[in-house]
Amino acid sequence: MFCVLKMFDHYGDYGTAETTYIREPKSGGFTDLLPGGVAFIKLDLEKGTYKVTDRDDSLIVFSTVSHDDGLTDLEFRRELFNSATDSAYHYGAKDAFVIEGPVKTPVDEYEAELLKEERAIRNEGDFE
């Protein structure tokens, strides 16, 4: 049995960030939380939220990441992705997939695409 806690952090004029997380059981560990060690990540860039779910679409983690005005959309996407994958692996995922509509992309492939986009932007900046 796991205890789900919801927290709200207030950031003044920036608004409220909501985080839902699972408290570790007395016995320790989260071995029963993700059967087969598979997690699914859904990113919502507009709202700045991510969800980590199991195979049955049961919610494991839901969290909000504040969008710093100094970040580009790509940098924010990276920050949201990193937070989501950290959460998935923290709760026992051995494999994780990013869900975008009907497409399930392994996190390694998703990160490779992010790196490619980041590299392209850096290379564009070298010629300006």
Side-chain angles (χ1 to χ4, degrees), residues 25-70:
K26 263 184 163 181
S27 60
F30 299 103
T31 54
D32 298 337
L33 201 53
L34 291 167
V38 176
F40 297 99
I41 296 170
K42 297 174 187 170
L43 305 174
D44 187 333
L45 299 171
E46 287 182 25
K47 295 179 182 176
T49 62
Y50 66 84
K51 289 181 184 180
V52 177
T53 61
D54 65 9
R55 287 181 189 265
D56 298 325
D57 205 33
S58 297
L59 185 64
I60 305 300
V61 178
F62 175 84
S63 189
T64 304
V65 175
S66 297
H67 191 307
D68 181 355
D69 290 335

Side-chain angles (χ1 to χ4, degrees), residues 117-128:
E117 290 178 42
E118 291 165 342
R119 208 171 289 126
I121 288 174
R122 259 195 317 274
N123 289 340
E124 285 176 11
D126 291 341
F127 298 108
E128 292 178 4

Side-chain angles (χ1 to χ4, degrees), residues 52-126:
V52 177
T53 61
D54 65 9
R55 287 181 189 265
D56 298 325
D57 205 33
S58 297
L59 185 64
I60 305 300
V61 178
F62 175 84
S63 189
T64 304
V65 175
S66 297
H67 191 307
D68 181 355
D69 290 335
L71 296 177
T72 65
D73 288 343
L74 182 59
E75 290 170 332
F76 180 64
R77 187 169 141 212
R78 162 63 76 181
E79 192 170 309
L80 199 61
F81 171 75
N82 286 348
S83 292
T85 54
D86 286 350
S87 293
Y89 290 122
H90 174 77
Y91 288 110
K94 292 177 180 63
D95 293 316
F97 298 86
V98 176
I99 306 296
E100 294 176 302
V103 179
K104 296 178 184 175
T105 308
V107 291
D108 294 341
E109 289 179 26
Y110 191 87
E111 185 168 29
E113 286 299 316
L114 276 176
L115 286 169
K116 189 187 301 183
E117 290 178 42
E118 291 165 342
R119 208 171 289 126
I121 288 174
R122 259 195 317 274
N123 289 340
E124 285 176 11
D126 291 341

